[in-house]
Amino acid sequence: MGFDGGIILRHLPELSAGLRLTLLLAVVALLVGTALGFFGCLGKLLGRGLLFWIASIYVTVMRGVPEMVVMFWIYYCGPLVLGAKLSSFAAAATAMSLFAGAHLAEIFRAGILAVPRGQSEAARALGLPIFSQWVEIVLPQALRMMIPPFIGLVTLVIKISGLASAIGVAELVYEASIVSGQTYRYFELFSAVGVLYFLIIFPLSLTAQRYERVLARRSR
Amino acid sequence: MTGLHPLTHKPGGRRFDSGDLASLVLGLALVGGIAAMIDWKFVRSLDFVVVVDYWQPLLKGALTTLFVTAAALVVGLALGIVIAILLQLPLGPLRWLLLLYVELWRNTPLIVQLFWIHFGLPVVTGVSPTALESGLLALTLQSSAYLADIARAGIQAVPRGQWQAGRALGLPTASLWLEVVLPQALKIMIPPFANLALSFLNGSALLGLIQVGELMTVATKISDYTFKPIEIMTAVGALYLVLNLVVGRLAHWLELATRTPR
């Protein structure tokens, strides 16, 4: 059985539909995750007592439990909250958002804590109002430091979206499994899908690395 | 007003102020909101006895998870160090192949690698590995790529003076690597290695998709058999969390224990 590249071209419509869903999942997870991460970070940095514990437990649990378990759990536990089973896409998107949110909370927090204390102390000593202390001094520096880990998380979320195939979301891995199951061309299809993921993820990784080097040079 | 820097936000032994009040109100609202959304009748109908009934296979699955992760990491570490050393040498085109290997495994999803190895390769090679072999192979190859990168960074972080001193003392290349550079590089590699170990511990749950026999495989089998997916998944999630926290603690302890006193 030789390598049949034509099989990929013949099933391009299925694969591109899968790719669209993969990207949609990633975008939804990143958008909702950014909001969750924002609140998670606020809760861990500024929250006290109960609020701090809620944020900490959320971050620890979502970072400590495998994404697959979370995905299955949310898929099965829909009735617990909504009284109805979630669609597989909704379950996957929810699980991925929770996952991204927990990681982003830590990325945001690390970025803010990485701004040298002297910066905020100087801002306070100059009598800047608290709003400008944050918006003009701390956040611009923190945001710059968050860029490489944020891009790293984007690649992680794209990689994790493949797990959604396990609960039946028709994304890229799912489509490849279905097509290769019908044609028995596993090698061709998974090679193609692998290359496709690589073409999306590798440029992102490179950008993150470049930017990290820029930051390292600047801080020297 | 509260202090500006988050680090200054947690002074101990002070009076309950407006910030504490706001935190408490928000926290209670969150807990209340979640509690109101949950269907408690449904929660009461859950039957966690099933977890106790199946504790033996679950324990066996957890041990298999630990074994698979540890094996992949140990072999991956050896491979990764070799790749990192090879990358330091002027090898011409071989260097590019090694870089391609590392970047390919690092920049594609594990699930695709797993299916490629388990379903794709046998069609080409004619050899059908068992699920465990495929799972181990996929995890090991991916960890070798990540560890090659970690080892490269570790080797580069060894101060130049160490190399120069080793050469000045006339050490042969082998002992320069084995006795001077690598021991220091390994110590530098501990924190990123620990992070990788934790992500592989969780990543190994993916092997459940091809029924490798680790915790996730056991969990899906039991939940299909007993029709109690919620109870099983909750327990298994908790089990993974505990494993994760314990391994994280151990790694932290190792990091402290090997820290060079200054």
Side-chain angles (χ1 to χ4, degrees):
Chain A
M1 221 161 142
F3 190 92
D4 178 13
I7 196 89
I8 296 155
L9 293 178
R10 256 170 281 143
H11 290 282
L12 220 49
E14 285 100 319
L15 291 180
S16 64
L19 180 63
R20 217 171 305 140
L21 217 48
T22 291
L23 294 178
L24 185 64
L25 267 179
V27 169
V28 170
L30 286 168
L31 286 178
V32 181
T34 303
L36 283 173
F38 176 74
F39 290 116
C41 164
L42 273 187
K44 275 194 86 168
L45 281 179
L46 306 179
R48 296 171 196 170
L50 186 61
L51 194 60
F52 172 78
W53 282 110
I54 294 173
S56 302
I57 289 172
Y58 161 60
V59 170
T60 310
V61 169
M62 281 300 151
R63 278 161 52 97
V65 177
E67 309 76 53
M68 258 241 309
V69 176
V70 177
M71 228 174 245
F72 275 116
W73 196 83
I74 289 179
Y75 187 52
Y76 291 124
C77 288
L80 211 116
V81 177
L82 297 171
K85 210 165 177 182
L86 282 168
S87 76
S88 53
F89 182 84
T94 311
M96 285 171 60
S97 304
L98 288 171
F99 171 82
H103 281 263
L104 282 169
E106 287 298 89
I107 289 172
F108 294 161
R109 197 173 70 102
I112 289 172
L113 290 179
V115 177
R117 265 191 98 129
Q119 295 286 325
S120 42
E121 283 165 0
R124 192 149 34 147
L126 287 170
L128 284 183
I130 188 115
F131 180 77
S132 352
Q133 287 178 19
W134 274 102
V135 173
E136 289 172 38
I137 308 293
V138 177
L139 285 182
Q141 301 184 58
L143 283 175
R144 221 172 292 144
M145 270 182 278
M146 289 170 201
I147 291 174
F150 184 84
I151 299 176
L153 184 79
V154 174
T155 67
L156 194 56
V157 166
I158 295 174
K159 288 184 201 167
I160 279 173
S161 70
L163 300 183
S165 63
I167 54 171
V169 180
E171 46 67 72
L172 201 46
V173 176
Y174 183 89
E175 293 288 0
S177 308
I178 296 291
V179 173
S180 54
Q182 290 162 355
T183 58
Y184 210 64
R185 292 284 177 180
Y186 290 98
F187 187 75
E188 286 86 344
L189 280 157
F190 280 109
S191 301
V193 166
V195 169
L196 206 50
Y197 273 111
F198 184 78
L199 291 179
I200 300 168
I201 296 173
F202 187 53
L204 288 170
S205 305
L206 274 186
T207 316
Q209 271 170 31
R210 285 276 151 76
Y211 202 84
E212 216 162 316
R213 241 171 279 152
V214 172
L215 286 180
R217 219 176 301 143
R218 217 180 278 172
S219 70
R220 228 182 288 151
Chain B
M1 190 56 225
T2 54
L4 166 68
H5 199 280
L7 282 178
T8 60
H9 268 284
K10 307 238 167 54
R14 41 167 189 70
R15 282 188 303 130
F16 190 87
D17 68 9
S18 57
D20 293 300
L21 185 67
S23 274
L24 188 65
V25 171
L26 267 173
L28 285 177
L30 256 175
V31 172
I34 294 170
M37 266 178 12
I38 291 176
D39 181 353
W40 289 103
K41 213 154 82 197
F42 189 90
V43 174
R44 270 194 295 274
S45 76
L46 294 179
D47 172 24
F48 279 92
V49 177
V50 66
V51 178
V52 182
D53 288 344
Y54 287 93
W55 72 272
Q56 271 173 323
L58 285 172
L59 181 68
K60 205 168 151 243
L63 290 177
T64 313
T65 287
L66 284 176
F67 162 73
V68 168
T69 312
L73 285 169
V74 169
V75 181
L77 180 64
L79 282 174
I81 290 176
V82 171
I83 296 172
I85 294 176
L86 287 177
L87 282 176
Q88 302 282 314
L89 306 174
L91 293 172
L94 184 62
R95 216 183 107 84
W96 285 101
L97 275 180
L98 283 173
L99 279 175
L100 183 68
Y101 169 85
V102 170
E103 296 302 341
L104 264 180
W105 288 111
R106 274 164 50 88
N107 290 291
T108 46
L110 182 59
I111 186 171
V112 175
Q113 299 164 6
L114 186 69
F115 286 178
W116 190 80
I117 287 173
H118 192 61
F119 301 117
L121 272 188
V123 179
V124 181
T125 59
V127 184
S128 304
T130 63
L132 182 64
E133 287 162 358
S134 297
L136 270 174
L137 189 62
L139 277 183
T140 306
L141 293 182
Q142 201 190 38
S143 81
S144 76
Y146 276 101
L147 283 163
D149 198 56
I150 291 173
R152 185 193 48 79
I155 290 170
Q156 281 176 358
V158 175
R160 293 227 61 83
Q162 297 289 324
W163 294 85
Q164 291 159 349
R167 291 220 183 85
L169 287 170
L171 283 183
T173 314
S175 39
L176 179 62
W177 275 104
L178 291 177
E179 292 171 40
V180 180
V181 177
L182 284 182
Q184 299 185 59
L186 279 175
K187 220 179 272 180
I188 300 170
M189 285 164 62
I190 290 175
F193 181 79
N195 278 336
L196 191 74
L198 290 180
S199 84
F200 268 71
L201 188 65
N202 281 351
S204 73
L206 191 61
L207 303 187
L209 293 181
I210 60 165
Q211 313 246 317
V212 165
E214 36 60 77
L215 189 50
M216 196 61 190
T217 313
V218 176
T220 35
K221 273 191 186 152
I222 299 175
S223 67
D224 286 350
Y225 185 69
T226 58
F227 296 108
K228 297 205 184 308
I230 297 179
E231 291 87 338
I232 295 291
M233 283 300 154
T234 308
V236 166
L239 203 50
Y240 270 111
L241 184 63
V242 170
L243 287 180
N244 207 283
L245 293 177
V246 168
V247 174
R249 276 284 105 191
L250 281 176
H252 184 66
W253 170 81
L254 184 69
E255 201 182 317
L256 291 181
T258 56
R259 185 176 286 171
T260 324
R262 285 176 198 279

